[in-house]
Amino acid sequence: YIAADFHNNNDDCCADIIATGAPTVTGTNVTYATTAPVFTVLPTPRGAKTRQVSQNLTTSTKEKGWGLSGQADIGIGTHTLTSITAYREWNNTEIRDGDWLDGAYVGFNQLHDRGPQHSTTFTQELRIASPADQQLSYVLGAYYSHAFSERVFQRDDIVCTATATAPTGVMIPCGSVNANASTFPTGVADFGSTFDNLALFGQATFKFSDSVRLVGGLRYSHDKLSVFHSRNTALSGPGIQPNFDQGVYDAYTALIAGGATATSAAAAAVASSNGIPFRTKTSNDNLSGKVSLQADVSPDMMAYASYTRGYKGPAYNVFYNLTATGTNVIDPETSDAWEVGLKNKLFDGTMTLNIAGFYAKYHNFQANNPDLVAGVVVSRFTNAGEVSTRGIEADLNWRPLPDLSITGGVAYTDARVDAFKAAPGAAAGTIIPSGTPLGYAPKWKGSLAMDYRIRSMSAFDINLGAQAN
């Protein structure tokens, strides 16, 4: 079996909006003021109903990608040997207005960004499977992947300051009589990564009887990750990050070893640029797996209990504004998950109803945290700490009539932060207290959908559908 795909997108659209005023935090209360001078040149923020922008750069995304994959299944006696090979290439260029304004103003630098990026991925899997209709059935295999990505990101700024006689409390455009001469800092960063993963895996099912089964599996993974980063600045000034490369990093580590603080070492090291990309790497080995006991309570009911050890490999947070303080490795994430449940068939098999209770604990949870870099809020990828989730869920699939199907589900989930791990150099206000609910994890979620087919007994049928979430 061979499959190929290709896509080419040229999107001239989709500017960011300012939906709220300037935030003011008092204790746990956040208010948004629209009386700041900047809102004299911005559209009035209307929350989620905001539909206007004020920008002087047409944002766009150009993307091209293709992939090729092939699968071969070869019979070897009673076993089946499967080979899956795949290659994918992706190219993307984003043009963004990073200041959301129609020009440069005193205190509001113009930020115009262009960031072409390129990535390739190659994967190869080999596995052999035994016949399924025997007391012991199994799958054994190996997997390899090689992923490379690179981005060249350029930021062009316009920066100015107010003259001594300039009025206060108003927006002052750069280039006006109340602004000093503008500067035009430009920075270009070339950064990327190479990720190799090799895994050996196996899973087996042992039937104690026709109604009781034990399923177990193991996966050994070896990860190798290397990254590089080099940033050159044509002109320093407000709103632009200074150079960062191997020379900056070496000077920073030497200053730290000599007793300097991270802040003072980072400031002093920027004069030590040597034009050689900063490079670092890491590797990790892991053994993960699962075990599940399944029992057919009746021909229409199956009960099970399972434990799974999960794993997500190491990472680095490599981006345009990278500095020496952010070069730490993101440790691998692991999880311990338990689940018990029932899978049921009702009404002569026309209804499937599954119910499960679950608990999972995540260690070194990998997540994006908001951070302030060069006066701009960015997302920093970090080990956020210990996280746990528990709850119960049910899903339904019912066909009461041959042409009527009803599906739905409901879940109660209690997901929370157990122990937060602050990112290096993170501000005190970004510390999350233990017990804080996880974002994007509501206590209750539910869905219900219905589809009905009206047969016309001709070339066309009519399908009616409705769904709610």
Side-chain angles (χ1 to χ4, degrees):
Y1 175 78
I2 297 175
D5 66 88
F6 170 81
H7 72 273
N8 185 14
N9 302 334
N10 190 350
D11 302 323
D12 176 6
C13 75
C14 310
D16 296 313
I17 61 172
I18 302 292
T20 63
T24 302
V25 181
T26 306
T28 58
N29 297 320
V30 181
T31 57
Y32 299 92
T34 59
T35 57
V38 70
F39 286 100
T40 62
V41 294
L42 276 173
T44 301
R46 301 173 58 221
K49 295 183 179 180
T50 303
R51 289 294 180 269
Q52 290 181 295
V53 297
S54 179
Q55 300 184 7
N56 62 338
L57 178 67
T58 301
T59 59
S60 64
T61 300
K62 298 180 180 181
E63 182 176 297
K64 182 182 296 184
W66 63 275
L68 181 67
S69 64
Q71 176 174 332
D73 297 291
I74 305 168
I76 302 179
T78 59
H79 289 62
T80 301
L81 176 66
T82 299
S83 173
I84 303 175
T85 307
Y87 177 83
R88 179 160 296 279
E89 185 169 313
W90 180 70
N91 296 279
N92 174 281
T93 298
E94 291 185 350
I95 299 174
R96 293 290 179 266
D97 188 316
D99 55 87
W100 295 283
L101 295 172
D102 59 358
Y105 295 84
V106 171
F108 296 89
N109 307 336
Q110 179 171 287
L111 307 176
H112 286 179
D113 300 336
R114 178 182 176 88
Q117 52 192 317
H118 168 77
S119 69
T120 60
T121 304
F122 170 79
T123 62
Q124 173 64 53
E125 179 176 343
L126 283 173
R127 64 173 184 259
I128 188 166
S130 69
D133 57 347
Q134 54 188 23
Q135 186 175 21
L136 177 65
S137 58
Y138 56 86
V139 175
L140 299 174
Y143 175 84
Y144 170 75
S145 70
H146 174 82
F148 171 80
S149 65
E150 181 177 14
R151 189 176 199 188
V152 179
F153 186 94
Q154 179 172 332
R155 170 161 288 174
D156 299 323
D157 293 7
I158 298 177
V159 183
C160 68
T161 58
T163 63
T165 58
T168 59
V170 297
M171 293 290 288
I172 301 174
C174 293
S176 66
V177 295
N178 292 314
N180 294 313
S182 299
T183 58
F184 303 89
T186 296
V188 179
D190 186 348
F191 52 93
S193 65
T194 300
F195 201 119
D196 290 291
N197 170 260
L198 176 65
L200 302 175
F201 60 88
Q203 180 166 307
T205 300
F206 182 79
K207 298 178 181 178
F208 293 102
S209 66
D210 290 339
S211 59
V212 180
R213 300 170 296 280
L214 180 67
V215 181
L218 287 174
R219 184 183 188 94
Y220 165 76
S221 299
H222 175 69
D223 290 320
K224 291 178 62 178
L225 171 62
S226 62
V227 297
F228 62 92
H229 187 289
S230 179
R231 183 179 59 241
N232 298 301
T233 301
L235 176 66
S236 61
I240 195 74
Q241 287 291 94
N243 290 355
F244 177 77
D245 52 24
Q246 192 66 52
V248 175
Y249 180 75
D250 291 342
Y252 170 83
T253 54
L255 290 166
I256 291 294
T261 64
T263 302
S264 63
V270 296
S272 304
S273 179
N274 63 2
I276 299 174
F278 159 75
R279 298 183 184 275
T280 189
K281 60 183 179 179
T282 189
S283 62
N284 192 71
D285 297 287
N286 176 264
L287 184 65
S288 56
K290 62 177 289 185
V291 61
S292 175
L293 182 63
Q294 303 173 354
D296 297 326
V297 181
S298 72
D300 294 325
M301 179 184 295
M302 190 266 281
Y304 69 93
S306 67
Y307 165 77
T308 304
R309 174 73 169 181
Y311 168 75
K312 187 186 296 183
Y316 285 99
N317 194 44
V318 182
F319 66 122
Y320 173 79
N321 278 321
L322 182 68
T323 63
T325 57
T327 55
N328 58 293
V329 63
I330 312 300
D331 293 327
E333 174 189 313
T334 58
S335 63
D336 296 287
W338 291 263
E339 183 174 329
V340 294
L342 292 172
K343 295 183 179 293
N344 308 277
K345 290 183 179 179
L346 306 172
F347 305 127
D348 296 326
T350 61
M351 176 186 288
T352 299
L353 177 63
N354 301 322
I355 303 174
F358 59 89
Y359 172 80
K361 180 83 170 183
Y362 298 86
H363 315 278
N364 280 329
F365 185 64
Q366 296 178 354
N368 282 312
N369 285 359
D371 197 9
L372 196 65
V373 177
V376 178
V377 177
V378 300
S379 294
R380 181 194 287 200
F381 196 56
T382 66
N383 289 121
E386 304 290 312
V387 169
S388 63
T389 178
R390 75 280 295 152
I392 187 170
E393 61 183 2
D395 62 82
L396 167 76
N397 192 320
W398 185 27
R399 189 177 290 273
L401 300 172
D403 293 320
L404 174 64
S405 63
I406 299 173
T407 59
V410 63
Y412 171 81
T413 304
D414 179 16
R416 65 182 71 146
V417 177
D418 295 329
F420 183 73
K421 180 180 179 180
T430 63
I431 306 301
I432 299 176
S434 298
T436 300
L438 282 182
Y440 308 105
K443 293 280 188 182
W444 287 98
K445 291 193 294 185
S447 65
L448 184 64
M450 181 184 71
D451 289 283
Y452 183 64
R453 181 178 184 179
I454 302 174
R455 298 183 183 270
S456 65
M457 303 305 175
S458 64
F460 301 97
D461 289 344
I462 298 174
N463 286 278
L464 304 177
Q467 63 179 17
N469 293 282

